[in-house]
Amino acid sequence: VTLKRSVAVSLVRIREFLPAGQRIDSWVLELREGGAWKEVAAGQSIGSCRLARFTPVLADAMRLRITKASAPPVLSELRAYS
């Protein structure tokens, strides 16, 4: 996801679309800072809501890499906060 401008991000909320079932088994969250991707959080299941908190990063883009899933993943939300 490309952001409109560079912003300090310190929290990302990730939600799966649970009517389709919990499918994500592991994931990595990366933010792009100064043209380079930086891993800021990683974990196992996401479920109804996962909050990833980290030291603020001045980012212009973010991406969620699903590294393992039991079926094609379906997200309902990926939101960044300062």
Side-chain angles (χ1 to χ4, degrees), residues 1-3 9 11-13 29-32 37 59-64 78-81:
V1 175
T2 302
L3 306 176
V9 177
L11 173 76
V12 172
R13 181 168 62 187
L29 177 67
E30 298 174 325
L31 297 178
R32 189 172 62 197
W37 289 101
D60 65 356
M62 67 177 170
R63 68 181 174 196
L64 179 67
L78 178 62
R79 187 175 299 207
Y81 297 91

Side-chain angles (χ1 to χ4, degrees), residues 1 9-14 26-32 37-44 46 50-55 57 59 61-67 75 77-81:
V1 175
V9 177
S10 60
L11 173 76
V12 172
R13 181 168 62 187
I14 311 163
S26 62
W27 54 273
V28 175
L29 177 67
E30 298 174 325
L31 297 178
R32 189 172 62 197
W37 289 101
K38 177 179 182 179
E39 182 178 320
V40 294
Q44 296 184 1
I46 292 174
R50 172 72 64 172
L51 296 176
R53 292 182 174 94
F54 42 87
T55 303
V57 173
M62 67 177 170
R63 68 181 174 196
L64 179 67
R65 289 190 300 112
I66 309 301
T67 54
L75 293 178
E77 183 176 17
L78 178 62
R79 187 175 299 207
Y81 297 91

